[in-house]
Amino acid sequence: MKAVVITALGGPEVLQLQEVDDPQIKDDEVLVKVEATALNRADTLQRIGKHPPPKGASPYPGLECSGTIEAVGKLVSRWKVGDQVCALLAGGAYAEKVAVPAGQVLPVPPGISLKDAAAFPEVACTVWSTVFMMSRLSAGETFLIYGGSSGIGTFAIQIAKYKGVRVFVTAGSEEKLAACKELGADVCINYKTEDFVARVKEETGGKGVDVILDCIGASYFQRNLDSLNFDGRLFIIGFMGGAVTELNMTSLLAKRLTVQAAGLRGRSVENKAEIVNEVEKNVWPAIVEGKVKPVVYNHFPLSEAAESHRLLESSQHIGKILLVP
């Protein structure tokens, strides 16, 4: 099969489409003929050597896909050859075929094209496992997302609104803020021209928000604590603004704050299966109802993986970028 290979660590140009061996499936896995995969920041980090695949995972990038099942392992009961699915992966989706643990496979939701279904697994599993399963965001609460126009952001806005939450977002252009507003965001803040802490306080009567989903890390840490309400929860999923910071712990104590962090790729197969199961139960109905839609900015052939990475790293896009074999 053909797959995108990271031929050396470096810029987008190191991504080359090459002929490689087909993946071999284990007894508890399925083989998926890939219809599409979607880009994630982790792919660009892997390309420069900052986010290597977990032990035993495919060396090729790609953390999610959609496609058709071509073969099933002998311990697999739910899925059969010909099923149209999407899946969460530890790697390997920038390819024509990929092996997936059966517990990380989801049915394509009715009304969603097979190609567009590739836009859901990583964002749905990330947002549901962090904001809802761990930070317990619930109806009537307030929620702040940085990078509201990103793949994570565009999904988080929609699922939070579905759950009856008041949603705050930041983004860096009026075009991106308009896209967030259209998806249902209640308060849209241009972080380049506004102080988001002041705006959050103003919009919440001085209280702050209940939950923040943060991909920035160190450079926003103190401002995050300042933006939270009593009993507020900060969930960190990325370090685009660095990983090391100083902390004045008095605000944690005074406001009874919780700080949590988690990744998705390095979790155990069992843990991922549990998250995927919760996503199917809680998120898939919202997609079926048309309340959560895939937001796809553009799609590229596998042979243009380098170009797709350049677009992702430029942050000019809104929503997800797909690669199609």
Side-chain angles (χ1 to χ4, degrees), residues 4-324:
V4 174
V5 177
I6 299 170
T7 56
L9 300 180
E13 70 282 352
V14 304
L15 300 174
Q16 301 286 335
L17 190 62
Q18 297 183 354
E19 201 69 40
V20 301
D21 290 339
D22 282 7
Q24 301 301 306
I25 58 167
K26 299 178 185 147
D27 290 346
D28 59 352
E29 292 182 333
V30 301
L31 184 67
V32 175
K33 181 178 187 292
V34 176
E35 176 78 14
T37 181
L39 272 61
N40 291 281
R41 290 272 169 197
D43 307 344
T44 64
L45 294 175
Q46 179 175 338
R47 196 196 71 224
I48 59 173
K50 287 191 175 173
H51 193 53
K55 196 168 183 283
S58 168
Y60 315 124
L63 301 179
E64 58 194 329
C65 74
S66 60
T68 306
I69 292 181
E70 275 203 346
V72 297
K74 57 176 183 263
L75 298 179
V76 177
S77 54
R78 177 175 178 186
W79 307 106
K80 62 185 189 301
V81 173
D83 285 347
Q84 294 200 330
V85 297
C86 55
L88 179 72
L89 309 165
Y94 284 28
E96 292 177 327
K97 297 178 185 185
V98 67
V100 192
Q104 291 165 220
V105 177
L106 288 151
V108 171
I112 302 297
S113 73
L114 184 56
K115 184 163 76 176
D116 283 355
F120 281 128
E122 181 75 17
V123 293
C125 291
T126 295
V127 173
W128 191 261
S129 64
T130 56
V131 174
F132 293 94
M133 290 170 74
M134 292 177 74
S135 290
R136 306 175 316 283
L137 180 66
S138 48
E141 288 194 311
T142 47
F143 174 41
L144 170 61
I145 311 152
Y146 301 126
S149 61
S150 67
I152 293 268
T154 52
F155 174 83
I157 292 166
Q158 296 180 83
I159 194 65
K161 290 308 298 178
Y162 178 74
K163 290 290 177 185
V165 169
R166 187 170 179 227
V167 176
F168 292 60
V169 299
T170 67
S173 75
E174 293 311 309
E175 183 197 6
K176 288 179 176 181
L177 292 168
C180 294
K181 192 92 183 156
E182 200 169 307
L183 289 168
D186 299 286
V187 179
C188 301
I189 304 163
N190 187 329
Y191 69 84
K192 291 181 179 172
T193 60
E194 294 182 83
D195 174 354
F196 70 81
V197 181
R199 185 80 191 279
V200 162
K201 288 286 179 67
E202 181 192 319
E203 295 281 353
T204 57
K207 289 180 179 174
V209 293
D210 298 304
V211 175
I212 298 174
L213 183 62
D214 173 41
C215 57
I216 305 297
S219 62
Y220 272 20
F221 193 71
Q222 190 57 52
R223 282 184 281 176
N224 281 332
L225 303 186
D226 296 342
S227 300
L228 283 167
N229 193 2
F230 282 88
D231 298 306
R233 289 88 77 196
L234 167 63
F235 210 109
I236 301 166
I237 57 166
F239 307 108
M240 290 170 73
V244 180
T245 187
E246 272 193 6
L247 160 66
N248 179 342
M249 289 188 272
T250 55
S251 57
L252 288 179
L253 184 145
K255 293 203 285 185
R256 305 183 296 273
L257 303 181
T258 301
V259 179
Q260 294 170 297
L264 184 58
R265 188 181 196 180
R267 291 175 185 248
S268 69
V269 171
E270 294 76 17
N271 192 210
K272 286 180 183 174
E274 185 188 336
I275 292 167
V276 166
N277 186 43
E278 289 293 316
V279 163
E280 187 173 357
K281 277 196 304 206
N282 294 286
V283 176
W284 254 225
I287 298 171
V288 173
E289 286 175 40
K291 297 290 196 282
V292 173
K293 295 182 168 75
V295 180
V296 175
Y297 183 74
N298 204 346
H299 57 269
F300 293 82
L302 273 184
S303 58
E304 292 178 24
E307 198 50 47
S308 72
H309 273 222
R310 285 187 193 99
L311 174 60
L312 183 69
E313 289 176 315
S314 77
S315 292
Q316 295 302 305
H317 62 292
I318 292 169
K320 295 287 277 188
I321 300 164
L322 304 187
L323 278 176
V324 182

